[in-house]
Amino acid sequence: MSLYWFTGAISTSFRPYYEYAHQLTRRVRRVEVPTALALFPADLARPPRSWAERTYRLTRCTQMPRGGHFAAHEEPGLLADDITAFFRELRPRPASRRRAREPVRGGGDRSGGRRGGSRLRR
């Protein structure tokens, strides 16, 4: 909130609410991007998980032990750990990385018919 206020851009944070209230934009039907939800016990609103699942592809939902509406300020460690864990879960598994770097099939020397060793698929 302070970032918007101090930079003189507070109105941009209200724009989506204004546009939706005045039918200038359509309601989002479904978001298929993996989404995380962190619920803090002292927040202004604590919607049930099922509400988020109606619209978002919820892949992580964390009930935080403490914190409220300004979670990034109140509990930065909890929030940062949860965000880190969310993105860690999205990383490819080590086995899939190994498959992506297998030598290209070609000559018997696995060099792909070229000198200088094997070529790796990226």
Side-chain angles (χ1 to χ4, degrees):
M1 182 74 140
S2 294
L3 182 61
Y4 287 119
W5 189 261
F6 296 146
T7 60
I10 192 70
S11 61
T12 60
S13 70
F14 297 126
R15 181 178 173 184
Y17 302 104
Y18 176 86
E19 288 180 355
Y20 185 71
H22 292 86
Q23 286 98 29
L24 300 174
T25 189
R26 293 182 302 193
R27 180 180 175 271
V28 173
R29 297 282 179 216
R30 181 83 185 149
V31 176
E32 291 300 332
V33 176
T35 305
L37 175 62
L39 297 168
F40 291 84
D43 202 345
L44 301 176
R46 292 189 16 215
R49 178 184 178 140
S50 62
W51 288 10
E53 290 172 329
R54 287 182 202 164
T55 305
Y56 299 95
R57 185 175 135 210
L58 199 61
T59 58
R60 182 179 180 85
C61 183
T62 307
Q63 294 281 342
M64 294 295 184
R66 59 192 177 277
H69 186 67
F70 297 104
H73 174 71
E74 297 167 13
E75 297 294 339
L78 285 176
L79 185 59
D81 289 347
D82 194 54
I83 292 170
T84 300
F86 169 67
F87 282 106
R88 186 171 288 127
E89 292 168 3
L90 296 177
R91 283 185 182 165
R93 304 242 184 314
S96 64
R97 274 193 234 133
R98 266 187 259 128
R99 279 194 296 268
R101 293 182 177 248
E102 286 178 356
V104 174
R105 306 230 188 305
D109 62 356
R110 295 203 174 270
S111 67
R114 294 185 174 82
R115 292 183 195 183
S118 65
R119 294 183 325 174
L120 298 178
R121 273 188 267 171
R122 302 257 174 200

